[in-house]
Amino acid sequence: MTDALDAFHADDLERGIASVDELLHVLGLSREVIDFDKISYDTGLTVERVRGLLAGEEAGTEDLSQTFQRRLVFLRETRRKPNGKKYTLDEIGQGAGISKGQVGFLLNGQRMPGLAGVSKLERFFAVQPGFFTATDRQALRRALQPIHEQLTHLALLKGQGITRLAMRSGASGEDSKLDRELRAALTVALAEPEGDGEDPELRELTEEIRALPTKSRRRIFPVLRGLLGLARPEEEKPARPSAAEV
């Protein structure tokens, strides 16, 4: 098996897709374990668009102002207040430090903000930098990276012979199909050994983790603790600030 993780060092969607597909094949899984709704939520792309790009659909071209306007509308629809209502133009303006009128122009596609305005809106809606400016291909490639990492973790836990690992981040907190697969693998790997002998899967898992560089071991421990419900208080993510606090 090739070192699929290296695929994400190149800005190439096709290589990233091939890397994920290779891991799925090794694990005996299909693309249907991927949470397409979450990818859509994280990128602003429709589920149909995501599936199309994964199938090799041409990305096409779109003016940056059109992309910005489409994704801003998407964020207002999907990132709502705790009561389920949309943020008003005034609330968005106050939270992002721009005028209510400017927000209206942006939502209608009549204006395109500068880089500072883009950054303020990304912080207000708590999305990654580049959410508004990434192409569809770039957005999907970035969304595939944590999925690739989850699959890599899962392959390690299931003892699929992946030894050249560079664990970079933990699994998502969402209860996705991949998360359930991870928990199931952990349950097997960390179960009490039967009889007097040591569980070979537990021994293999221990040896795999010990073989990792120190930095990688430190990064995987929070993943294991989190999946087992043992996350430390200081590792918990802070709650998203309200519009008035941004």
Side-chain angles (χ1 to χ4, degrees):
M1 176 180 175
T2 61
D3 189 5
L5 188 61
D6 288 341
F8 284 95
H9 294 305
D11 188 11
D12 187 336
L13 177 60
E14 284 74 21
R15 287 191 64 199
I17 293 173
S19 178
V20 168
D21 282 343
E22 184 179 7
L23 282 167
L24 288 172
H25 176 72
V26 167
L27 291 164
L29 301 173
S30 73
R31 285 182 181 177
E32 292 311 307
V33 301
I34 296 174
D35 190 340
F36 291 99
D37 288 329
K38 186 174 188 304
I39 292 180
S40 175
Y41 183 85
D42 290 342
T43 62
L45 307 178
T46 64
V47 170
E48 293 73 19
R49 180 64 165 151
V50 172
R51 289 184 179 274
L53 288 172
L54 289 175
E57 180 182 282
E58 290 295 327
T61 57
E62 183 178 58
D63 183 85
L64 181 58
S65 62
Q66 293 177 309
T67 299
F68 172 85
Q69 188 259 347
R70 173 168 53 82
R71 291 181 184 170
L72 180 59
V73 171
F74 175 85
L75 287 179
R76 192 179 179 220
E77 288 290 337
T78 58
R79 272 62 166 182
R80 301 198 174 203
K81 294 185 287 187
N83 62 9
K85 294 183 178 180
K86 294 181 185 179
Y87 285 103
T88 65
L89 304 191
D90 191 48
E91 288 170 332
I92 295 173
Q94 288 184 17
I98 57 180
S99 70
K100 172 182 176 180
Q102 174 80 340
V103 175
F105 286 130
L106 296 176
L107 285 167
N108 291 329
Q110 295 174 281
R111 290 184 186 174
M112 175 69 189
L115 291 177
V118 168
S119 296
K120 289 177 180 179
L121 287 165
E122 287 171 341
R123 286 196 296 271
F124 174 76
F125 285 109
V127 294
Q128 288 185 312
F131 178 90
F132 289 112
T133 56
T135 65
D136 287 0
R137 286 174 56 87
Q138 290 169 337
L140 177 56
R141 180 190 169 281
R142 182 163 61 179
L144 287 178
Q145 184 163 343
I147 294 171
H148 181 277
E149 291 173 350
Q150 283 185 310
L151 291 169
T152 303
H153 295 157
L154 181 56
L156 171 65
L157 295 173
K158 285 190 171 182
Q160 296 295 335
I162 298 176
T163 57
R164 293 182 61 203
L165 298 176
M167 300 299 183
R168 293 192 302 276
S169 69
S172 81
E174 301 293 332
D175 190 23
S176 67
K177 293 179 183 177
L178 282 179
D179 293 322
R180 290 194 291 274
E181 285 278 348
L182 280 165
R183 282 196 296 275
L186 276 171
T187 299
V188 173
L190 302 180
E192 288 291 332
E194 297 181 3
D196 297 329
E198 183 183 359
D199 186 341
E201 289 185 336
L202 179 57
R203 183 173 62 254
E204 182 178 1
L205 173 63
T206 302
E207 291 174 353
E208 291 279 5
I209 293 178
R210 283 176 177 170
L212 294 172
T214 301
K215 281 188 176 180
S216 297
R217 290 201 304 271
R218 288 174 180 170
R219 288 172 179 171
I220 197 175
F221 288 152
V223 178
L224 297 175
R225 285 196 297 269
L227 291 171
L228 293 172
L230 301 175
R232 297 172 181 173
E234 62 268 23
E235 292 171 353
E236 296 178 359
K237 295 181 179 180
R240 182 187 179 282
S242 64
E245 297 173 327
V246 178

